PDB file of all heavy atoms in Angstrom:
ATOM      1  N   MET A   1      91.400 101.934  31.058  1.00 80.00           N
ATOM      2  CA  MET A   1      89.935 101.977  31.070  1.00 80.00           C
ATOM      3  C   MET A   1      89.433 103.416  31.033  1.00 80.00           C
ATOM      4  O   MET A   1      88.409 103.718  30.381  1.00 80.00           O
ATOM      5  CB  MET A   1      89.409 101.275  32.324  1.00 80.00           C
ATOM      6  CG  MET A   1      89.580  99.749  32.294  1.00 80.00           C
ATOM      7  SD  MET A   1      89.054  98.982  33.838  1.00 80.00           S
ATOM      8  CE  MET A   1      87.311  99.438  33.833  1.00 80.00           C
ATOM      9  N   ALA A   2      90.150 104.321  31.734  1.00 81.00           N
ATOM     10  CA  ALA A   2      89.735 105.727  31.704  1.00 81.00           C
ATOM     11  C   ALA A   2      89.827 106.282  30.288  1.00 81.00           C
ATOM     12  O   ALA A   2      88.968 107.047  29.829  1.00 81.00           O
ATOM     13  CB  ALA A   2      90.609 106.535  32.676  1.00 81.00           C
ATOM     14  N   GLY A   3      90.901 105.890  29.582  1.00 83.00           N
ATOM     15  CA  GLY A   3      91.039 106.339  28.197  1.00 83.00           C
ATOM     16  C   GLY A   3      89.932 105.803  27.310  1.00 83.00           C
ATOM     17  O   GLY A   3      89.371 106.536  26.466  1.00 83.00           O
ATOM     18  N   LEU A   4      89.633 104.508  27.511  1.00 82.00           N
ATOM     19  CA  LEU A   4      88.550 103.923  26.730  1.00 82.00           C
ATOM     20  C   LEU A   4      87.202 104.564  27.061  1.00 82.00           C
ATOM     21  O   LEU A   4      86.349 104.780  26.182  1.00 82.00           O
ATOM     22  CB  LEU A   4      88.491 102.407  26.986  1.00 82.00           C
ATOM     23  CG  LEU A   4      89.668 101.589  26.433  1.00 82.00           C
ATOM     24  CD1 LEU A   4      89.561 100.148  26.895  1.00 82.00           C
ATOM     25  CD2 LEU A   4      89.694 101.664  24.904  1.00 82.00           C
ATOM     26  N   TRP A   5      87.028 104.824  28.357  1.00 76.00           N
ATOM     27  CA  TRP A   5      85.780 105.485  28.770  1.00 76.00           C
ATOM     28  C   TRP A   5      85.624 106.817  28.052  1.00 76.00           C
ATOM     29  O   TRP A   5      84.549 107.148  27.529  1.00 76.00           O
ATOM     30  CB  TRP A   5      85.808 105.681  30.288  1.00 76.00           C
ATOM     31  CG  TRP A   5      84.586 106.329  30.866  1.00 76.00           C
ATOM     32  CD1 TRP A   5      84.266 107.654  30.830  1.00 76.00           C
ATOM     33  CD2 TRP A   5      83.517 105.691  31.570  1.00 76.00           C
ATOM     34  NE1 TRP A   5      83.086 107.905  31.459  1.00 76.00           N
ATOM     35  CE2 TRP A   5      82.612 106.694  31.931  1.00 76.00           C
ATOM     36  CE3 TRP A   5      83.253 104.371  31.936  1.00 76.00           C
ATOM     37  CZ2 TRP A   5      81.436 106.414  32.650  1.00 76.00           C
ATOM     38  CZ3 TRP A   5      82.103 104.106  32.649  1.00 76.00           C
ATOM     39  CH2 TRP A   5      81.204 105.122  32.995  1.00 76.00           C
ATOM     40  N   ALA A   6      86.682 107.613  28.012  1.00 79.00           N
ATOM     41  CA  ALA A   6      86.631 108.916  27.347  1.00 79.00           C
ATOM     42  C   ALA A   6      86.340 108.762  25.849  1.00 79.00           C
ATOM     43  O   ALA A   6      85.583 109.544  25.252  1.00 79.00           O
ATOM     44  CB  ALA A   6      87.956 109.652  27.566  1.00 79.00           C
ATOM     45  N   TYR A   7      86.966 107.737  25.243  1.00 83.00           N
ATOM     46  CA  TYR A   7      86.761 107.542  23.810  1.00 83.00           C
ATOM     47  C   TYR A   7      85.302 107.215  23.495  1.00 83.00           C
ATOM     48  O   TYR A   7      84.700 107.787  22.568  1.00 83.00           O
ATOM     49  CB  TYR A   7      87.678 106.429  23.323  1.00 83.00           C
ATOM     50  CG  TYR A   7      87.437 106.038  21.887  1.00 83.00           C
ATOM     51  CD1 TYR A   7      87.919 106.842  20.843  1.00 83.00           C
ATOM     52  CD2 TYR A   7      86.724 104.883  21.573  1.00 83.00           C
ATOM     53  CE1 TYR A   7      87.688 106.487  19.530  1.00 83.00           C
ATOM     54  CE2 TYR A   7      86.503 104.531  20.256  1.00 83.00           C
ATOM     55  CZ  TYR A   7      86.982 105.335  19.236  1.00 83.00           C
ATOM     56  OH  TYR A   7      86.757 104.986  17.926  1.00 83.00           O
ATOM     57  N   PHE A   8      84.715 106.302  24.255  1.00 76.00           N
ATOM     58  CA  PHE A   8      83.323 105.920  23.979  1.00 76.00           C
ATOM     59  C   PHE A   8      82.351 107.058  24.270  1.00 76.00           C
ATOM     60  O   PHE A   8      81.346 107.232  23.562  1.00 76.00           O
ATOM     61  CB  PHE A   8      82.939 104.684  24.794  1.00 76.00           C
ATOM     62  CG  PHE A   8      83.584 103.416  24.288  1.00 76.00           C
ATOM     63  CD1 PHE A   8      84.334 102.612  25.133  1.00 76.00           C
ATOM     64  CD2 PHE A   8      83.443 103.036  22.946  1.00 76.00           C
ATOM     65  CE1 PHE A   8      84.917 101.464  24.665  1.00 76.00           C
ATOM     66  CE2 PHE A   8      84.029 101.878  22.486  1.00 76.00           C
ATOM     67  CZ  PHE A   8      84.776 101.069  23.338  1.00 76.00           C
ATOM     68  N   LEU A   9      82.627 107.857  25.277  1.00 75.00           N
ATOM     69  CA  LEU A   9      81.779 109.012  25.537  1.00 75.00           C
ATOM     70  C   LEU A   9      81.865 110.022  24.397  1.00 75.00           C
ATOM     71  O   LEU A   9      80.867 110.654  24.007  1.00 75.00           O
ATOM     72  CB  LEU A   9      82.175 109.677  26.855  1.00 75.00           C
ATOM     73  CG  LEU A   9      81.769 108.931  28.145  1.00 75.00           C
ATOM     74  CD1 LEU A   9      82.275 109.704  29.360  1.00 75.00           C
ATOM     75  CD2 LEU A   9      80.250 108.770  28.222  1.00 75.00           C
ATOM     76  N   LYS A  10      83.051 110.159  23.871  1.00 80.00           N
ATOM     77  CA  LYS A  10      83.222 111.080  22.749  1.00 80.00           C
ATOM     78  C   LYS A  10      82.406 110.620  21.536  1.00 80.00           C
ATOM     79  O   LYS A  10      81.764 111.446  20.851  1.00 80.00           O
ATOM     80  CB  LYS A  10      84.702 111.151  22.382  1.00 80.00           C
ATOM     81  CG  LYS A  10      84.999 112.051  21.203  1.00 80.00           C
ATOM     82  CD  LYS A  10      86.491 112.047  20.893  1.00 80.00           C
ATOM     83  CE  LYS A  10      86.793 112.902  19.672  1.00 80.00           C
ATOM     84  NZ  LYS A  10      88.235 112.888  19.328  1.00 80.00           N
ATOM     85  N   GLN A  11      82.426 109.309  21.277  1.00 77.00           N
ATOM     86  CA  GLN A  11      81.640 108.785  20.174  1.00 77.00           C
ATOM     87  C   GLN A  11      80.138 109.000  20.399  1.00 77.00           C
ATOM     88  O   GLN A  11      79.377 109.272  19.455  1.00 77.00           O
ATOM     89  CB  GLN A  11      81.946 107.285  20.007  1.00 77.00           C
ATOM     90  CG  GLN A  11      83.368 106.989  19.559  1.00 77.00           C
ATOM     91  CD  GLN A  11      83.662 107.554  18.184  1.00 77.00           C
ATOM     92  OE1 GLN A  11      82.828 107.508  17.268  1.00 77.00           O
ATOM     93  NE2 GLN A  11      84.850 108.140  18.031  1.00 77.00           N
ATOM     94  N   ALA A  12      79.707 108.899  21.658  1.00 69.00           N
ATOM     95  CA  ALA A  12      78.279 109.037  21.954  1.00 69.00           C
ATOM     96  C   ALA A  12      77.790 110.468  21.758  1.00 69.00           C
ATOM     97  O   ALA A  12      76.605 110.709  21.494  1.00 69.00           O
ATOM     98  CB  ALA A  12      78.007 108.579  23.374  1.00 69.00           C
ATOM     99  N   ARG A  13      78.689 111.449  21.895  1.00 73.00           N
ATOM    100  CA  ARG A  13      78.262 112.855  21.799  1.00 73.00           C
ATOM    101  C   ARG A  13      78.431 113.444  20.388  1.00 73.00           C
ATOM    102  O   ARG A  13      78.238 114.651  20.186  1.00 73.00           O
ATOM    103  CB  ARG A  13      79.090 113.696  22.772  1.00 73.00           C
ATOM    104  CG  ARG A  13      78.768 113.390  24.254  1.00 73.00           C
ATOM    105  CD  ARG A  13      79.496 114.403  25.132  1.00 73.00           C
ATOM    106  NE  ARG A  13      79.160 114.231  26.521  1.00 73.00           N
ATOM    107  CZ  ARG A  13      79.869 113.514  27.386  1.00 73.00           C
ATOM    108  NH1 ARG A  13      80.962 112.904  26.974  1.00 73.00           N
ATOM    109  NH2 ARG A  13      79.466 113.398  28.634  1.00 73.00           N
ATOM    110  N   GLN A  14      78.844 112.630  19.426  1.00 75.00           N
ATOM    111  CA  GLN A  14      79.080 113.164  18.090  1.00 75.00           C
ATOM    112  C   GLN A  14      77.822 113.729  17.443  1.00 75.00           C
ATOM    113  O   GLN A  14      77.904 114.574  16.545  1.00 75.00           O
ATOM    114  CB  GLN A  14      79.683 112.072  17.204  1.00 75.00           C
ATOM    115  CG  GLN A  14      81.151 111.784  17.491  1.00 75.00           C
ATOM    116  CD  GLN A  14      81.739 110.743  16.543  1.00 75.00           C
ATOM    117  OE1 GLN A  14      80.995 110.099  15.795  1.00 75.00           O
ATOM    118  NE2 GLN A  14      83.058 110.609  16.569  1.00 75.00           N
ATOM    119  N   SER A  15      76.650 113.223  17.876  1.00 67.00           N
ATOM    120  CA  SER A  15      75.393 113.691  17.279  1.00 67.00           C
ATOM    121  C   SER A  15      74.932 115.026  17.879  1.00 67.00           C
ATOM    122  O   SER A  15      73.964 115.613  17.403  1.00 67.00           O
ATOM    123  CB  SER A  15      74.303 112.636  17.471  1.00 67.00           C
ATOM    124  OG  SER A  15      74.119 112.386  18.863  1.00 67.00           O
ATOM    125  N   GLU A  16      75.576 115.473  18.926  1.00 64.00           N
ATOM    126  CA  GLU A  16      75.164 116.738  19.546  1.00 64.00           C
ATOM    127  C   GLU A  16      75.737 117.911  18.755  1.00 64.00           C
ATOM    128  O   GLU A  16      76.596 117.751  17.887  1.00 64.00           O
ATOM    129  CB  GLU A  16      75.638 116.773  20.997  1.00 64.00           C
ATOM    130  CG  GLU A  16      74.998 115.705  21.881  1.00 64.00           C
ATOM    131  CD  GLU A  16      75.454 115.821  23.320  1.00 64.00           C
ATOM    132  OE1 GLU A  16      76.340 116.662  23.601  1.00 64.00           O
ATOM    133  OE2 GLU A  16      74.922 115.058  24.154  1.00 64.00           O
ATOM    134  N   ALA A  17      75.322 119.019  19.163  1.00 67.00           N
ATOM    135  CA  ALA A  17      75.792 120.259  18.521  1.00 67.00           C
ATOM    136  C   ALA A  17      77.293 120.419  18.761  1.00 67.00           C
ATOM    137  O   ALA A  17      77.865 119.867  19.702  1.00 67.00           O
ATOM    138  CB  ALA A  17      75.032 121.448  19.099  1.00 67.00           C
ATOM    139  N   LEU A  18      77.915 121.212  17.859  1.00 78.00           N
ATOM    140  CA  LEU A  18      79.352 121.413  17.898  1.00 78.00           C
ATOM    141  C   LEU A  18      79.790 122.017  19.229  1.00 78.00           C
ATOM    142  O   LEU A  18      80.793 121.594  19.817  1.00 78.00           O
ATOM    143  CB  LEU A  18      79.778 122.318  16.732  1.00 78.00           C
ATOM    144  CG  LEU A  18      81.287 122.593  16.628  1.00 78.00           C
ATOM    145  CD1 LEU A  18      82.075 121.301  16.469  1.00 78.00           C
ATOM    146  CD2 LEU A  18      81.565 123.569  15.480  1.00 78.00           C
ATOM    147  N   ALA A  19      79.048 122.951  19.727  1.00 73.00           N
ATOM    148  CA  ALA A  19      79.442 123.603  20.980  1.00 73.00           C
ATOM    149  C   ALA A  19      79.402 122.632  22.152  1.00 73.00           C
ATOM    150  O   ALA A  19      80.326 122.581  22.990  1.00 73.00           O
ATOM    151  CB  ALA A  19      78.535 124.795  21.247  1.00 73.00           C
ATOM    152  N   ALA A  20      78.284 121.832  22.203  1.00 74.00           N
ATOM    153  CA  ALA A  20      78.162 120.875  23.300  1.00 74.00           C
ATOM    154  C   ALA A  20      79.249 119.805  23.190  1.00 74.00           C
ATOM    155  O   ALA A  20      79.816 119.353  24.192  1.00 74.00           O
ATOM    156  CB  ALA A  20      76.784 120.242  23.281  1.00 74.00           C
ATOM    157  N   GLU A  21      79.526 119.422  21.922  1.00 77.00           N
ATOM    158  CA  GLU A  21      80.554 118.405  21.727  1.00 77.00           C
ATOM    159  C   GLU A  21      81.928 118.890  22.180  1.00 77.00           C
ATOM    160  O   GLU A  21      82.691 118.161  22.833  1.00 77.00           O
ATOM    161  CB  GLU A  21      80.604 118.009  20.254  1.00 77.00           C
ATOM    162  CG  GLU A  21      81.585 116.884  19.965  1.00 77.00           C
ATOM    163  CD  GLU A  21      81.566 116.477  18.504  1.00 77.00           C
ATOM    164  OE1 GLU A  21      80.713 116.974  17.751  1.00 77.00           O
ATOM    165  OE2 GLU A  21      82.420 115.657  18.123  1.00 77.00           O
ATOM    166  N   GLN A  22      82.235 120.172  21.825  1.00 81.00           N
ATOM    167  CA  GLN A  22      83.523 120.727  22.236  1.00 81.00           C
ATOM    168  C   GLN A  22      83.621 120.849  23.757  1.00 81.00           C
ATOM    169  O   GLN A  22      84.663 120.584  24.351  1.00 81.00           O
ATOM    170  CB  GLN A  22      83.716 122.097  21.563  1.00 81.00           C
ATOM    171  CG  GLN A  22      83.911 122.018  20.053  1.00 81.00           C
ATOM    172  CD  GLN A  22      85.204 121.276  19.698  1.00 81.00           C
ATOM    173  OE1 GLN A  22      86.196 121.344  20.408  1.00 81.00           O
ATOM    174  NE2 GLN A  22      85.157 120.557  18.574  1.00 81.00           N
ATOM    175  N   GLN A  23      82.513 121.306  24.350  1.00 82.00           N
ATOM    176  CA  GLN A  23      82.494 121.453  25.807  1.00 82.00           C
ATOM    177  C   GLN A  23      82.716 120.098  26.495  1.00 82.00           C
ATOM    178  O   GLN A  23      83.479 119.994  27.468  1.00 82.00           O
ATOM    179  CB  GLN A  23      81.167 122.066  26.247  1.00 82.00           C
ATOM    180  CG  GLN A  23      81.109 122.352  27.739  1.00 82.00           C
ATOM    181  CD  GLN A  23      79.778 123.007  28.134  1.00 82.00           C
ATOM    182  OE1 GLN A  23      78.897 123.220  27.280  1.00 82.00           O
ATOM    183  NE2 GLN A  23      79.659 123.320  29.407  1.00 82.00           N
ATOM    184  N   ALA A  24      81.992 119.082  26.003  1.00 80.00           N
ATOM    185  CA  ALA A  24      82.150 117.751  26.587  1.00 80.00           C
ATOM    186  C   ALA A  24      83.577 117.221  26.381  1.00 80.00           C
ATOM    187  O   ALA A  24      84.163 116.582  27.265  1.00 80.00           O
ATOM    188  CB  ALA A  24      81.149 116.789  25.984  1.00 80.00           C
ATOM    189  N   LYS A  25      84.133 117.523  25.200  1.00 82.00           N
ATOM    190  CA  LYS A  25      85.486 117.065  24.902  1.00 82.00           C
ATOM    191  C   LYS A  25      86.498 117.672  25.865  1.00 82.00           C
ATOM    192  O   LYS A  25      87.404 116.993  26.389  1.00 82.00           O
ATOM    193  CB  LYS A  25      85.835 117.410  23.464  1.00 82.00           C
ATOM    194  CG  LYS A  25      87.233 116.971  23.045  1.00 82.00           C
ATOM    195  CD  LYS A  25      87.504 117.363  21.603  1.00 82.00           C
ATOM    196  CE  LYS A  25      88.923 116.980  21.208  1.00 82.00           C
ATOM    197  NZ  LYS A  25      89.217 117.373  19.813  1.00 82.00           N
ATOM    198  N   GLN A  26      86.362 119.002  26.122  1.00 86.00           N
ATOM    199  CA  GLN A  26      87.281 119.674  27.037  1.00 86.00           C
ATOM    200  C   GLN A  26      87.165 119.109  28.462  1.00 86.00           C
ATOM    201  O   GLN A  26      88.175 118.941  29.169  1.00 86.00           O
ATOM    202  CB  GLN A  26      87.004 121.172  27.027  1.00 86.00           C
ATOM    203  CG  GLN A  26      87.355 121.858  25.717  1.00 86.00           C
ATOM    204  CD  GLN A  26      86.940 123.314  25.693  1.00 86.00           C
ATOM    205  OE1 GLN A  26      86.371 123.820  26.672  1.00 86.00           O
ATOM    206  NE2 GLN A  26      87.211 123.987  24.579  1.00 86.00           N
ATOM    207  N   ALA A  27      85.927 118.854  28.856  1.00 83.00           N
ATOM    208  CA  ALA A  27      85.717 118.301  30.201  1.00 83.00           C
ATOM    209  C   ALA A  27      86.377 116.926  30.343  1.00 83.00           C
ATOM    210  O   ALA A  27      87.005 116.615  31.364  1.00 83.00           O
ATOM    211  CB  ALA A  27      84.237 118.210  30.504  1.00 83.00           C
ATOM    212  N   LEU A  28      86.202 116.124  29.287  1.00 81.00           N
ATOM    213  CA  LEU A  28      86.802 114.798  29.332  1.00 81.00           C
ATOM    214  C   LEU A  28      88.327 114.869  29.341  1.00 81.00           C
ATOM    215  O   LEU A  28      89.007 114.132  30.065  1.00 81.00           O
ATOM    216  CB  LEU A  28      86.324 113.976  28.131  1.00 81.00           C
ATOM    217  CG  LEU A  28      84.900 113.423  28.211  1.00 81.00           C
ATOM    218  CD1 LEU A  28      84.513 112.794  26.892  1.00 81.00           C
ATOM    219  CD2 LEU A  28      84.793 112.426  29.339  1.00 81.00           C
ATOM    220  N   GLU A  29      88.872 115.768  28.484  1.00 85.00           N
ATOM    221  CA  GLU A  29      90.329 115.890  28.439  1.00 85.00           C
ATOM    222  C   GLU A  29      90.886 116.348  29.789  1.00 85.00           C
ATOM    223  O   GLU A  29      91.942 115.879  30.249  1.00 85.00           O
ATOM    224  CB  GLU A  29      90.735 116.862  27.341  1.00 85.00           C
ATOM    225  CG  GLU A  29      90.511 116.313  25.937  1.00 85.00           C
ATOM    226  CD  GLU A  29      90.839 117.339  24.867  1.00 85.00           C
ATOM    227  OE1 GLU A  29      91.043 118.519  25.237  1.00 85.00           O
ATOM    228  OE2 GLU A  29      90.902 116.953  23.687  1.00 85.00           O
ATOM    229  N   ALA A  30      90.152 117.280  30.441  1.00 86.00           N
ATOM    230  CA  ALA A  30      90.585 117.728  31.766  1.00 86.00           C
ATOM    231  C   ALA A  30      90.531 116.578  32.780  1.00 86.00           C
ATOM    232  O   ALA A  30      91.435 116.420  33.627  1.00 86.00           O
ATOM    233  CB  ALA A  30      89.713 118.894  32.232  1.00 86.00           C
ATOM    234  N   ALA A  31      89.436 115.811  32.676  1.00 79.00           N
ATOM    235  CA  ALA A  31      89.313 114.683  33.610  1.00 79.00           C
ATOM    236  C   ALA A  31      90.429 113.665  33.399  1.00 79.00           C
ATOM    237  O   ALA A  31      91.000 113.125  34.354  1.00 79.00           O
ATOM    238  CB  ALA A  31      87.950 114.022  33.450  1.00 79.00           C
ATOM    239  N   VAL A  32      90.735 113.393  32.107  1.00 81.00           N
ATOM    240  CA  VAL A  32      91.808 112.443  31.807  1.00 81.00           C
ATOM    241  C   VAL A  32      93.158 112.953  32.310  1.00 81.00           C
ATOM    242  O   VAL A  32      93.964 112.218  32.891  1.00 81.00           O
ATOM    243  CB  VAL A  32      91.856 112.157  30.298  1.00 81.00           C
ATOM    244  CG1 VAL A  32      93.096 111.339  29.948  1.00 81.00           C
ATOM    245  CG2 VAL A  32      90.602 111.416  29.862  1.00 81.00           C
ATOM    246  N   ALA A  33      93.429 114.257  32.084  1.00 84.00           N
ATOM    247  CA  ALA A  33      94.706 114.832  32.526  1.00 84.00           C
ATOM    248  C   ALA A  33      94.844 114.756  34.046  1.00 84.00           C
ATOM    249  O   ALA A  33      95.912 114.430  34.587  1.00 84.00           O
ATOM    250  CB  ALA A  33      94.807 116.286  32.062  1.00 84.00           C
ATOM    251  N   GLU A  34      93.737 115.075  34.747  1.00 82.00           N
ATOM    252  CA  GLU A  34      93.780 115.033  36.214  1.00 82.00           C
ATOM    253  C   GLU A  34      94.008 113.594  36.711  1.00 82.00           C
ATOM    254  O   GLU A  34      94.803 113.361  37.631  1.00 82.00           O
ATOM    255  CB  GLU A  34      92.468 115.584  36.786  1.00 82.00           C
ATOM    256  CG  GLU A  34      92.449 115.630  38.314  1.00 82.00           C
ATOM    257  CD  GLU A  34      91.151 116.201  38.838  1.00 82.00           C
ATOM    258  OE1 GLU A  34      90.319 116.642  38.015  1.00 82.00           O
ATOM    259  OE2 GLU A  34      90.970 116.220  40.065  1.00 82.00           O
ATOM    260  N   GLY A  35      93.282 112.668  36.061  1.00 74.00           N
ATOM    261  CA  GLY A  35      93.456 111.268  36.470  1.00 74.00           C
ATOM    262  C   GLY A  35      94.871 110.763  36.199  1.00 74.00           C
ATOM    263  O   GLY A  35      95.463 110.035  36.999  1.00 74.00           O
ATOM    264  N   THR A  36      95.429 111.194  35.026  1.00 82.00           N
ATOM    265  CA  THR A  36      96.791 110.778  34.687  1.00 82.00           C
ATOM    266  C   THR A  36      97.807 111.316  35.686  1.00 82.00           C
ATOM    267  O   THR A  36      98.737 110.622  36.104  1.00 82.00           O
ATOM    268  CB  THR A  36      97.138 111.264  33.269  1.00 82.00           C
ATOM    269  OG1 THR A  36      96.187 110.728  32.338  1.00 82.00           O
ATOM    270  CG2 THR A  36      98.538 110.819  32.875  1.00 82.00           C
ATOM    271  N   ALA A  37      97.630 112.594  36.089  1.00 84.00           N
ATOM    272  CA  ALA A  37      98.554 113.198  37.054  1.00 84.00           C
ATOM    273  C   ALA A  37      98.500 112.460  38.394  1.00 84.00           C
ATOM    274  O   ALA A  37      99.534 112.209  39.027  1.00 84.00           O
ATOM    275  CB  ALA A  37      98.208 114.678  37.245  1.00 84.00           C
ATOM    276  N   GLU A  38      97.295 112.114  38.835  1.00 79.00           N
ATOM    277  CA  GLU A  38      97.158 111.401  40.106  1.00 79.00           C
ATOM    278  C   GLU A  38      97.796 110.018  40.023  1.00 79.00           C
ATOM    279  O   GLU A  38      98.448 109.563  40.969  1.00 79.00           O
ATOM    280  CB  GLU A  38      95.682 111.295  40.479  1.00 79.00           C
ATOM    281  CG  GLU A  38      95.030 112.635  40.843  1.00 79.00           C
ATOM    282  CD  GLU A  38      93.549 112.485  41.126  1.00 79.00           C
ATOM    283  OE1 GLU A  38      93.041 111.357  40.947  1.00 79.00           O
ATOM    284  OE2 GLU A  38      92.915 113.480  41.536  1.00 79.00           O
ATOM    285  N   LEU A  39      97.571 109.354  38.872  1.00 75.00           N
ATOM    286  CA  LEU A  39      98.153 108.030  38.712  1.00 75.00           C
ATOM    287  C   LEU A  39      99.679 108.086  38.694  1.00 75.00           C
ATOM    288  O   LEU A  39     100.366 107.248  39.271  1.00 75.00           O
ATOM    289  CB  LEU A  39      97.637 107.381  37.433  1.00 75.00           C
ATOM    290  CG  LEU A  39      96.165 106.943  37.466  1.00 75.00           C
ATOM    291  CD1 LEU A  39      95.730 106.496  36.093  1.00 75.00           C
ATOM    292  CD2 LEU A  39      95.975 105.830  38.478  1.00 75.00           C
ATOM    293  N   ARG A  40     100.217 109.114  38.001  1.00 82.00           N
ATOM    294  CA  ARG A  40     101.674 109.273  37.965  1.00 82.00           C
ATOM    295  C   ARG A  40     102.225 109.553  39.359  1.00 82.00           C
ATOM    296  O   ARG A  40     103.292 109.044  39.750  1.00 82.00           O
ATOM    297  CB  ARG A  40     102.057 110.403  37.019  1.00 82.00           C
ATOM    298  CG  ARG A  40     101.878 110.036  35.546  1.00 82.00           C
ATOM    299  CD  ARG A  40     102.177 111.217  34.650  1.00 82.00           C
ATOM    300  NE  ARG A  40     102.059 110.846  33.237  1.00 82.00           N
ATOM    301  CZ  ARG A  40     102.127 111.711  32.236  1.00 82.00           C
ATOM    302  NH1 ARG A  40     102.289 113.020  32.499  1.00 82.00           N
ATOM    303  NH2 ARG A  40     102.034 111.304  30.990  1.00 82.00           N
TER     304      ARG A  40
END
């Protein structure tokens, strides 16, 4: 579900500017990595 959540958020931000999109992408990837480490 966390992966799906990240995917749908990424789709929602595609209309934003490139910088905001990249920033949001990095934040999501960090959140996913942290969640994955905790789950492991």
Side-chain angles (χ1 to χ4, degrees):
M1 289 176 62
L4 291 173
W5 181 283
Y7 173 77
F8 288 125
L9 286 178
K10 178 181 178 181
Q11 294 297 320
R13 291 188 176 95
Q14 285 183 350
S15 59
E16 296 183 355
L18 181 59
E21 184 178 353
Q22 291 296 327
Q23 184 178 1
K25 180 180 177 181
Q26 292 174 0
L28 284 173
E29 289 176 350
V32 171
E34 182 179 355
T36 302
E38 292 177 355
L39 289 172
R40 287 176 178 173

